[in-house]
Amino acid sequence: MSTPLERRLLPFIACQGAFATLIGFAEVLVFAQRGWSEAVQFTAVMLTVAMVGIVGSFALGRRWSLRPAHLICAGFLAPAFLLLGADGEPLWLALAVGLYLGLTWGARHWLELSLLADADRDAYAAHTTVWTVFAGLSATLTVTLLLSMTGERAAAVYTSYAVLALVAAIWVPRQLPDTPAMHWDRPWAVVRQPGFSRCLPLYGLESGLLGIGMVLGASGAVQALGVVSHYGWTASAATVLGGLALFALRRRRHAGNRLRWMAWAALGMVAAHLLLGASVWHPALYVVHLLTLAAVQPFWAASEQVLNQRVLDLEGALADRIVVREFVLWAFRMLALGGFWWAVQGWSPVRVLLLGAGLMAVAVLAEWGVGRAWLTRAG
């Protein structure tokens, strides 16, 4: 049974989940059109814009009395216009996706952490992830159909997401619960408290390989599937598995079994990453990788959501904690992506994919170990 808060946030969560599928298409399109180096640069710009969007909105919040509805409206409206000029322009595309990520997730963090108690987080994460999966599935199917009908024209992808963003900018803000204005106070006070240093291993493992994973996924898709619409059809079919599984089990998650759920999800994620690496020998394994990833990623995402909210239960103003977390995550992402890019210069795509897949698998196991310590301490 959904709660009143979930029902108020449902339009936002559905639109956010649907628009987020643009990231996968964008990575594949940029990699297919421009290659590895351009895909890395696109990812770095996108993640940097996302960080600036979150941090900047909280920095300006006191002067402008910004609320989540303002950020969500801007987070959809800006991409709606930027995407119209994104065909063949990775910079415009990175700006569009980055602003969406930064502004909408800044607002979502504020809403969920302001209004949600710890005991409610597991059920809430399961319910909202189900809606995210099925909204994403609908968007992926629609865009893939447009790609097939228009001869793989990237403009069809960007135009469809621009329309979705415009609808979301008009519709979503009207449904949101009211919260106080968003602004930071003393973010560096969060850094100075002893508990902050304990967050760093988790932040590094969770986000350090995010950018690498995005580029590797695009590389594997292009090498194994070739045509962008083939990626869309495969991702759509795979997503059904994860969505149905999480929907069927959504009522079984609670604070008492969050460790067990995260452990099983971690094993599935490791298997998915290893299958990505194995796809260099047999392209069909990329399809198995996508199926496995889609089946377990909703469970992993729900566990990470609970864990991230637990980690943000530090002392200090909520906005300060969010700002510091996002800046630190961005720093880890840039260091890892830049270091990986530098280290594999001159490597063949096969060697890059093998190394990256292995790193991702190890990172998941390490994140589970750190997450177990955090959740046990939360007890």
Side-chain angles (χ1 to χ4, degrees), residues 129 133 234-247 249 253 261 264-265 268-269 272 287-301:
T129 304
V133 166
T234 306
S236 298
T239 302
V240 174
L241 292 177
L244 289 175
L246 189 60
F247 181 79
L249 299 171
R253 297 183 67 105
W261 280 108
W264 283 109
M269 292 293 290
V287 178
V288 183
H289 151 74
L290 267 185
L291 290 168
T292 305
L293 186 66
V296 300
Q297 195 165 38
F299 294 93
W300 183 247

Side-chain angles (χ1 to χ4, degrees), residues 91-336:
L91 178 59
W92 286 104
L93 183 58
L95 288 172
V97 179
L99 284 172
Y100 149 76
L101 283 172
L103 296 176
T104 65
W105 272 102
R108 182 165 174 175
H109 286 323
W110 182 259
L111 285 166
E112 291 177 343
L113 289 164
S114 297
L115 303 173
L116 203 63
D118 179 66
D120 300 326
R121 288 172 177 170
D122 297 271
Y124 172 84
H127 295 165
T128 55
T129 304
V130 167
W131 284 106
T132 299
V133 166
F134 282 102
L137 172 63
S138 301
T140 302
L141 282 171
T142 302
V143 172
T144 303
L145 183 61
L146 286 173
L147 274 170
S148 300
M149 294 171 59
T150 58
E152 305 296 319
R153 291 181 60 230
V157 175
Y158 304 138
T159 301
S160 60
Y161 281 104
V163 172
L164 169 62
L166 185 59
V167 171
I170 296 171
W171 177 44
V172 168
R174 302 176 182 177
Q175 316 296 321
L176 297 175
D178 191 32
T179 62
M182 308 163 57
H183 61 80
W184 73 20
D185 186 18
R186 295 184 303 135
W188 294 115
V190 176
V191 177
R192 289 195 295 268
Q193 62 179 285
F196 175 75
S197 61
R198 294 199 304 268
C199 304
L200 296 180
L202 182 63
Y203 288 163
L205 291 166
E206 177 201 346
S207 235
L209 296 181
L210 175 65
I212 297 173
M214 290 179 176
V215 179
L216 288 174
S219 172
V222 171
Q223 292 181 55
L225 303 176
V227 180
V228 177
S229 62
H230 291 174
Y231 161 79
W233 291 123
T234 306
S236 298
T239 302
V240 174
L241 292 177
L244 289 175
L246 189 60
F247 181 79
L249 299 171
R250 68 194 186 283
R251 295 178 182 173
R252 299 187 182 182
R253 297 183 67 105
H254 52 77
N257 63 15
R258 53 178 57 156
L259 276 170
R260 186 165 66 252
W261 280 108
M262 191 173 187
W264 283 109
L267 288 176
M269 292 293 290
V270 169
H273 292 314
L274 294 179
L275 284 166
L276 176 62
S279 68
V280 302
W281 292 294
H282 200 304
L285 290 176
Y286 181 80
V287 178
V288 183
H289 151 74
L290 267 185
L291 290 168
T292 305
L293 186 66
V296 300
Q297 195 165 38
F299 294 93
W300 183 247
S303 293
E304 280 196 320
Q305 181 175 334
V306 172
L307 183 59
N308 281 318
Q309 290 170 347
R310 174 67 189 92
V311 171
L312 277 167
D313 289 341
L314 296 171
E315 296 179 4
L318 175 57
D320 295 346
R321 288 177 271 146
I322 293 173
V323 165
V324 170
R325 173 184 180 273
E326 293 303 321
F327 183 83
V328 172
L329 291 180
W330 169 81
F332 278 124
R333 290 164 183 168
M334 293 302 101
L335 285 171

